[in-house]
Amino acid sequence: MKTIGKILHILFKTNLVKTLWFNWKMLPARQARHLPIWFYGKVTLRSTAGSVVIDGPVTPGMIKIGKRDYYVTTSIPQCIWTIRGAIRFRGPLSFGFGSYVMVSDGAELTFGSKGSYFGTGVKIICFNRIEFGNAVHVPWECQFMDTSFHYIENRASGEIPPLTRPIRIGTHVWIGNRTTFTKGAIIPDDTIIASNSLVNKDFSALEPYCLLAGVDRKSVV
């Protein structure tokens, strides 16, 4: 009965054309035949010139992209993904609808195992490296950007900081909605981040089970 249920779900609930096309284009046949990645609703794939890798056991629908979220709606009617670099999945996860994911040439976006959740309207812009640990909870309208998009000169010292720096989110991290992560942000395991916060530097020295909230007034470039 479970097998029949999954078949009916794929046929009538998912974006079947995009699901079939993406799995067979981006994955080896031994994985693609299980259809581990399911798309829902409107999906725009601006580029699939990069690579997608699934580490570990593969099961049907273990990765869901664009599924409707019962918590909140968004004005963005579709998921928009650009894959020119590498995306690596290490386990099940779910993306709500309206997500925007861009992985640039030579960049790598990694998702951990044990079921992470990304809510509606989440944006991930990866020009270097963004890594999520296991069981990360990311609700609606959060954004992760490992680049400043343009160079900024320190007029006092003449220093020009790097354009990009990696972002690393630890395991069992719970993030409040509308939080922004910029280049160089590092969050240790077992951390909670309050809604509407700005995370712009390395917090790896924090003790376990800390709460981060607000905006750091110190400018970090």
Side-chain angles (χ1 to χ4, degrees):
M1 292 299 293
K2 287 184 178 180
T3 301
I4 295 175
K6 286 183 178 180
I7 293 173
L8 293 175
H9 186 95
I10 294 172
L11 290 175
F12 298 107
K13 298 292 186 180
T14 69
N15 183 328
L16 181 60
V17 173
K18 285 289 175 63
T19 295
L20 290 171
W21 180 85
F22 189 84
N23 280 273
W24 283 99
K25 173 175 172 54
M26 303 302 294
L27 300 174
R30 59 183 173 78
Q31 293 184 332
R33 65 188 181 89
H34 296 288
L35 298 182
I37 301 173
W38 291 356
F39 285 101
Y40 295 80
K42 295 181 180 179
V43 179
T44 296
L45 297 169
R46 289 183 173 172
S47 176
T48 54
S51 64
V52 174
V53 176
I54 300 178
D55 291 333
V58 170
T59 58
M62 60 183 286
I63 298 162
K64 297 177 175 64
I65 299 172
K67 192 172 183 181
R68 286 276 166 176
D69 189 322
Y70 58 86
Y71 285 116
V72 69
T73 60
T74 178
S75 60
I76 301 173
Q78 62 181 322
C79 293
I80 302 175
W81 285 49
T82 303
I83 308 171
R84 299 193 62 85
I87 297 182
R88 183 177 299 273
F89 299 101
R90 292 199 170 110
L93 63 81
S94 176
F95 262 92
F97 64 104
S99 62
Y100 180 93
V101 174
M102 188 185 80
V103 186
S104 186
D105 297 86
E108 184 172 352
L109 173 61
T110 302
F111 298 100
S113 60
K114 299 184 180 178
S116 292
Y117 167 82
F118 294 81
T120 62
V122 168
K123 296 179 178 67
I124 300 175
I125 300 175
C126 180
F127 276 72
N128 184 323
R129 179 178 176 83
I130 299 178
E131 182 176 357
F132 295 92
N134 303 334
V136 175
H137 184 89
V138 182
W140 58 91
E141 297 175 10
C142 290
Q143 52 186 357
F144 304 80
M145 300 173 289
D146 67 358
T147 177
S148 53
F149 298 100
H150 51 79
Y151 289 99
I152 301 174
E153 180 183 1
N154 185 322
R155 293 297 298 275
S157 65
E159 180 186 4
I160 300 177
L163 185 65
T164 67
R165 288 206 303 271
I167 292 175
R168 187 169 70 247
I169 309 298
T171 290
H172 300 130
V173 173
W174 186 12
I175 300 169
N177 63 295
R178 298 191 177 96
T179 294
T180 294
F181 295 80
T182 60
K183 64 179 187 179
I186 299 179
I187 304 300
D189 297 346
D190 304 306
T191 300
I192 296 175
I193 301 170
S195 300
N196 296 290
S197 295
L198 171 64
V199 184
N200 60 1
K201 63 181 183 180
D202 184 349
F203 289 95
S204 57
L206 290 177
E207 296 292 328
Y209 310 109
C210 278
L211 170 66
L212 293 176
V215 177
D216 190 335
R217 298 296 180 183
K218 183 179 179 182
S219 176
V220 178
V221 293

